[in-house]
């Protein structure tokens, strides 16, 4: 086994102590010290450089049956991370290599080499493999192009448009010939960013008035595609503005993640009969067959600056929880990342 010299004895990691009811509270979590693990046969030890915090993690804190297994109480939580191999007991990965994996929320992780994806730190900043060139980027790409069946000339509406996924959806739509792209966000500053930096044709602050009215004003001729990150009144408004043959891709519903009672559904589903509209949910995990195509197409856009991205970077493992809560509050612009 090869390893870096002078590894520390302990690693800090976040544990879930109790399952949050409603909004997560600090006492539901604990930052604990654990021995730095020794990699077994076929494993590597990774010192995490960046870890990801994402809205879907709220669902894993619940015991309810979902598409991802619940976090185990009293054990380290999981999430996307990228870091450096500091000890290797596996062929194909050496000390000094950088890898992407799903053992975040901790400083050091021992994992099977087959669960690590080697990434090139010279081709793009390491943090981008958690965002614009990572799972969030592929989510945008697959949801827009495959689930929503985007085609040139479509009018596209994106909610949560200043977030990591939403901002990329809007830009990919523009790069692929959308006739109009509209975004919603939660502050006037984010609205300005969408139009001036990301090239959206129109954007509005959903806190400034009813979403349905603001959407009709921004898209007087209706919409062909709605990429839903929010749910709630945004979904109802999109159905109201949907053109004939319109498609809605449901990626997330951050507006209801902390609800303790079921949220009321859209009251206007009958419009789908008139418009022959379609609503389809999707998970990025069903679309990893697009990964190579995604990187080949989007990588050059990122490198050339044609596709812009923002990151909100929080320093220190001790601030991991606050960064996660910040995502639920909408504090981030672009991908929220914790630098360890």
């Amino acid at each position: 086994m090869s390893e870096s010299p002078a590894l520390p004895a302990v690693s800090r990691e976040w544990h879930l102590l109790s399952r949050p009811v409603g909004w997560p509270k600090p006492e539901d979590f604990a930052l604990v010290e654990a021995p730095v693990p020794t990699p077994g046969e076929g494993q590597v030890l990774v010192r995490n450089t960046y870890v990801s915090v994402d809205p879907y993690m709220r669902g894993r804190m619940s015991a309810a049956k979902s598409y991802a297994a619940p976090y185990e109480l009293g054990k380290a939580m999981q999430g996307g991370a990228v870091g450096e191999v500091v000890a290797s007991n596996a062929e194909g990965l050496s000390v000094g290599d950088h890898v992407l994996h799903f053992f975040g929320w901790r400083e050091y992780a021992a994992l099977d080499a087959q669960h690590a994806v080697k990434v090139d730190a010279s081709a793009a900043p390491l943090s981008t493999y958690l965002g614009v060139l990572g799972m969030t980027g592929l989510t945008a790409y697959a949801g827009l192009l495959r689930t929503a069946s985007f085609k040139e000339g479509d009018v596209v509406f994106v909610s949560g448009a200043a977030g990591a996924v939403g901002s990329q959806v809007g830009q990919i739509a523009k790069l692929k010939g959308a006739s109009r792209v509209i975004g919603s966000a939660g502050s006037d500053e984010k609205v300005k960013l969408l139009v001036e930096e990301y090239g959206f044709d129109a954007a509005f602050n959903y806190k400034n008035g009813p979403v349905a009215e603001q959407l009709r004003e921004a898209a007087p001729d209706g919409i062909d595609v709605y990429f839903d990150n929010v749910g709630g009144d945004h979904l109802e408004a999109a159905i109201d503005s949907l053109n004939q043959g319109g498609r809605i891709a449901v990626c997330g519903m951050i507006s209801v993640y902390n609800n303790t009672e079921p949220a009321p559904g859209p009251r206007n589903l009958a419009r789908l009969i008139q418009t022959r509209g379609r609503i389809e949910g999707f998970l990025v995990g069903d679309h990893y067959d697009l990964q190579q195509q995604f990187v080949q197409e989007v990588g050059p856009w990122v490198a050339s600056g044609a596709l812009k991205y923002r990151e909100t970077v929080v320093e220190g493992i001790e601030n991991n929880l606050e960064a996660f809560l910040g995502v639920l509050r909408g504090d981030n612009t672009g991908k929220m990342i914790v630098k360890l």
Side-chain angles (χ1 to χ4, degrees), residues 52 54 128 130-141 164-165 168 284 294 335:
S52 179
D54 303 280
T128 62
L130 293 175
V132 68
L133 292 178
M135 186 174 72
T136 50
L138 181 60
T139 301
Y141 188 86
V165 173
Q168 205 155 342
V284 66
F294 158 68
K335 183 78 182 77

Side-chain angles (χ1 to χ4, degrees), residues 16-30:
L16 184 66
L17 300 184
S18 56
R19 302 204 181 278
V21 176
W23 196 268
K25 301 181 294 295
E27 52 266 33
D28 294 324
F29 308 85

Side-chain angles (χ1 to χ4, degrees), residues 8 28 32 66 81 88 93-94 99 107 113 124 138 140 154 163 174 184 230 245-246 259 263 291 303 319:
D28 294 324
V32 304
S66 184
S88 178
L93 287 175
S94 306
V99 294
E107 291 176 309
L138 181 60
D154 278 345
K174 288 294 289 184
S184 75
V230 173
N259 288 8
Q291 176 72 33
N319 294 314

Side-chain angles (χ1 to χ4, degrees), residues 7-15 30-37 44-52 76-87 99 101-111 315-320 338-340:
L7 291 173
V10 296
S11 167
R12 291 178 293 171
E13 57 188 36
W14 280 96
H15 289 194
L31 179 62
V32 304
E33 289 189 346
V36 170
V44 292
L45 177 67
V46 180
R47 179 172 59 228
N48 287 334
T49 308
Y50 295 96
V51 300
S52 179
M77 293 189 291
Q78 297 171 330
V82 65
E84 182 181 352
V85 174
V86 293
V99 294
H101 62 89
F102 283 92
F103 292 85
W105 289 83
R106 69 199 81 184
E107 291 176 309
Y108 286 83
L111 58 134
E315 300 265 352
I317 185 80
E318 64 277 6
N319 294 314
N320 219 101
V338 181
K339 182 179 181 181
L340 305 191

